[in-house]
């Protein structure tokens, strides 16, 4: 699948949406989001946050991603699900609810369904780059999207995760949403910069969280 094919397909759905054909997303029904609030900056709240994030057994997030790669620009919706360490899925859908790409990752392999074809590889990052021709930090995405620190991460004086550096990628955590019942905060806006790449991931709703 070429980058041109992916962008052309994506733009077709964007055009249909702009013409007033917007339909609700029909992805396994509409789920009620967990109650969330704005960023909490109190230092005592963030003590032990990384340990609490490690207790997450499963999570489902819904939001929007904006991708700028080389001369192309595009925005799409996503549904992210994680059920075990090293196991997650990332579904990219148009505003009309049409599937653009479906990535399923396990410790054994990564499977990508795109343009009515199925592709497999060991690394989700290499697989997506080979098929869609867009480099994204998908090998560490399970940690990135919930704000788990990696060895190269930095924190504010209050203990809030702010940056993570990976080979070819610089990750910035610009905002968080707080889940008071769980005493957790998850990234609300993540910005990823890389060679000719700017990716912005915005989580709009936490639809499932199991500790």
């Amino acid at each position: 699948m070429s980058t041109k094919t992916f962008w052309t397909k994506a733009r077709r759905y964007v055009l249909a949406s702009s013409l007033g054909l917007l339909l609700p997303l029909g992805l396994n029904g509409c789920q009620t989001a967990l109650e969330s609030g704005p960023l909490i900056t109190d230092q005592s709240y963030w003590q032990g946050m990384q340990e609490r994030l490690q207790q997450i057994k499963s999570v489902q997030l819904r939001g929007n991603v904006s991708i700028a790669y080389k001369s192309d620009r595009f925005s799409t919706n996503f549904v992210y699900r994680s059920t075990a360490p090293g196991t997650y899925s990332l579904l990219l859908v148009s505003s009309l609810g049409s599937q653009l790409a479906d990535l399923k990752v396990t410790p054994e392999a990564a499977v990508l369904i795109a343009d009515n074809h199925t592709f497999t590889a060991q690394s989700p990052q290499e697989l997506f780059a080979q098929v869609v021709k867009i480099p994204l930090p998908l090998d560490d995405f399970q940690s990135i999207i919930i704000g788990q620190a990696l060895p190269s991460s930095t924190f504010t004086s209050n203990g809030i995760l702010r940056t993570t550096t990976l080979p070819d990628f610089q990750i910035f955590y610009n905002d968080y949403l707080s889940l008071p019942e769980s005493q957790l905060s998850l990234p609300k806006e993540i910005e990823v910069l890389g060679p000719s790449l700017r990716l912005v991931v915005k989580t709009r709703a936490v639809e499932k969280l199991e500790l």
Side-chain angles (χ1 to χ4, degrees), residues 76-152:
T76 187
N77 298 307
F78 77 85
V79 177
Y80 169 85
R81 300 181 181 93
S82 174
T83 55
T87 303
Y88 74 86
S89 66
L90 179 64
L91 177 64
L92 301 181
V93 293
S94 73
S95 55
L96 296 175
S98 299
Q99 177 177 309
L100 298 176
D102 187 7
L103 176 67
K104 299 183 185 299
V105 180
T106 68
E108 292 74 32
V111 177
L112 177 65
I113 301 173
D115 199 28
N116 297 318
H117 293 84
T118 300
F119 308 87
T120 61
Q122 183 64 39
S123 162
Q125 190 161 310
E126 292 181 4
L127 176 62
F128 199 86
Q130 290 172 2
V131 175
V132 185
K133 313 300 183 184
I134 302 174
L136 299 177
L138 295 172
D139 286 351
D140 297 293
F141 197 68
Q142 193 172 32
S143 296
I144 293 170
I145 198 167
I146 65 168
Q148 273 191 310
L150 296 170
S152 58

Side-chain angles (χ1 to χ4, degrees), residues 47-191:
Q47 290 179 351
M49 181 63 69
Q50 289 298 315
E51 289 77 8
R52 294 197 295 277
L53 289 173
Q54 292 177 5
Q55 297 174 5
I56 295 177
K57 295 180 180 178
S58 65
V59 64
Q60 178 168 314
L61 310 175
R62 186 184 296 268
N64 175 269
V65 295
S66 298
I67 301 172
Y69 182 57
K70 295 183 178 178
S71 60
D72 288 303
R73 304 289 185 274
F74 180 65
S75 180
T76 187
N77 298 307
F78 77 85
V79 177
Y80 169 85
R81 300 181 181 93
S82 174
T83 55
T87 303
Y88 74 86
S89 66
L90 179 64
L91 177 64
L92 301 181
V93 293
S94 73
S95 55
L96 296 175
S98 299
Q99 177 177 309
L100 298 176
D102 187 7
L103 176 67
K104 299 183 185 299
V105 180
T106 68
E108 292 74 32
V111 177
L112 177 65
I113 301 173
D115 199 28
N116 297 318
H117 293 84
T118 300
F119 308 87
T120 61
Q122 183 64 39
S123 162
Q125 190 161 310
E126 292 181 4
L127 176 62
F128 199 86
Q130 290 172 2
V131 175
V132 185
K133 313 300 183 184
I134 302 174
L136 299 177
L138 295 172
D139 286 351
D140 297 293
F141 197 68
Q142 193 172 32
S143 296
I144 293 170
I145 198 167
I146 65 168
Q148 273 191 310
L150 296 170
S152 58
S153 297
T154 65
F155 295 81
T156 69
S157 58
N158 288 351
I160 303 172
L161 176 64
R162 275 308 182 206
T163 69
T164 292
T165 301
L166 296 173
D168 296 325
F169 301 105
Q170 184 71 30
I171 300 160
F172 301 90
Y173 294 88
N174 296 332
D175 197 6
Y176 285 84
L177 54 81
S178 301
L179 303 167
E181 290 188 3
S182 305
Q183 286 293 295
L184 288 174
S185 285
L186 301 181
K188 183 177 181 180
E189 181 178 313
I190 304 169
E191 182 179 11

